[in-house]
Amino acid sequence: MPLGTWFKAGTSAATLVLAMAGAATAAPAPAGASSAAQAAAVTLRYDDSRAGGWEAAISAGVASWNANVSNVRLVEAAPGSVAEIVIVATTGWPQATLGPVRPGRQVRVELGSQAVDQGYDKTRIAAHELGHSLGLPDTKPGPCSQLMSGSSAGTACTNATPNATERSRVQSAYASAIAALVPADGRILIDAP
């Protein structure tokens, strides 16, 4: 076959491959799925292996955040793997490192039994302390409707759901790849009344 024919055949094949690739990438996303949102979500692993007695509260707190924000996803770390959020049970007041924590970095959450002994709700405590890890400071004093009002809402408050402002702040903190370069604040916030 002459050289010119090879070039034509090669060019035609390359054009066909490029056209097919363009058609494949131009296909619409499945209904109900936002591929941009899924691609932008930051996954943070938590290790609660040293938080005995708090497992149900941690699961409920994680579920609350995962149901209310889409730019970040909290998942339990596999045994023996490194986690961004290390959760431990203590005898003192709950406290946490102020984030937002980023993949490959690490913050600590201490779920203190002193607050439970005084009548505060475990699930609210867990969700509140996770909120610190995600970059939210305390909003004391504050109403029960504000998760980050913490102990100032009183012992009768069991709300473990972030409000619209809290959700928005976490969404913004994890909104882009550029935000991933911003380090966590690093301050330890102690949630005693």
Side-chain angles (χ1 to χ4, degrees), residues 30-181:
S34 171
S35 59
Q38 290 172 349
V42 173
T43 299
L44 299 175
R45 294 159 298 176
Y46 67 91
D47 174 6
D48 64 354
S49 63
R50 296 183 303 170
W54 287 85
E55 296 87 355
I58 293 166
S59 292
V62 165
S64 178
W65 279 109
N66 285 343
N68 284 284
V69 295
S70 60
N71 285 348
V72 64
R73 183 104 180 125
L74 302 174
V75 298
E76 190 168 4
S81 67
V82 177
E84 286 82 14
I85 303 171
V86 176
I87 306 171
V88 298
T90 68
T91 58
W93 278 96
Q95 57 185 291
T97 310
L98 181 59
V101 65
R102 302 297 178 199
R105 305 289 175 116
Q106 195 170 73
V107 295
R108 182 178 170 97
V109 168
E110 294 184 11
L111 299 175
S113 62
Q114 194 169 353
V116 177
D117 294 344
Q118 291 202 13
Y120 292 96
D121 181 71
K122 278 182 145 181
T123 300
R124 179 172 168 84
I125 293 168
H128 174 91
E129 298 306 325
L130 288 168
H132 287 320
S133 297
L134 299 175
L136 298 176
D138 287 315
T139 55
K140 294 179 180 180
C144 183
S145 60
Q146 291 178 344
L147 176 59
M148 300 314 294
S149 67
S151 61
S152 71
T155 57
C157 180
T158 60
N159 172 41
T161 304
N163 68 18
T165 301
E166 294 162 335
R167 291 189 304 267
S168 177
R169 289 186 69 187
V170 170
Q171 287 288 98
S172 293
Y174 292 93
S176 70
I178 293 172
L181 302 175

